[in-house]
Amino acid sequence: MPARRFKRGDFVRYDGHIDRFRGTWWTVDEVATDHRNRTHSYTLTANGIGRLRNVQPEHVSQPARD
């Protein structure tokens, strides 16, 4: 899980279980917070691909660029 939460407009890489999207870059469109379970999830968007909803924090990263 990242050290900080991403906010709307951040550019992140998807590292989840969907093979065809793994390693692709997305824009955070929405951050949803579940106060009861103290968790959050992201909705990601990418031009030409569409949206990924309910993406868990452990499935996104923002590695340092060289």
Side-chain angles (χ1 to χ4, degrees):
M1 189 157 78
R4 66 174 183 87
R5 286 188 186 185
F6 298 117
K7 61 184 184 305
R8 187 171 188 212
D10 283 347
F11 200 53
V12 297
R13 187 177 73 190
Y14 177 76
D15 297 323
H17 64 280
I18 303 173
D19 290 335
R20 66 182 178 179
F21 297 142
R22 189 176 298 136
T24 56
W25 289 87
W26 299 75
T27 303
V28 176
D29 189 40
E30 182 181 332
V31 180
T33 303
D34 182 352
H35 294 285
R36 180 177 298 183
N37 294 328
R38 303 182 91 173
T39 60
H40 61 280
S41 63
Y42 300 107
T43 297
L44 308 177
T45 59
N47 288 338
I49 298 176
R51 286 187 170 187
L52 283 179
R53 298 179 191 269
N54 300 320
V55 177
Q56 300 305 307
E58 58 269 14
H59 295 157
V60 294
S61 63
Q62 196 173 42
R65 296 185 184 179
D66 296 333

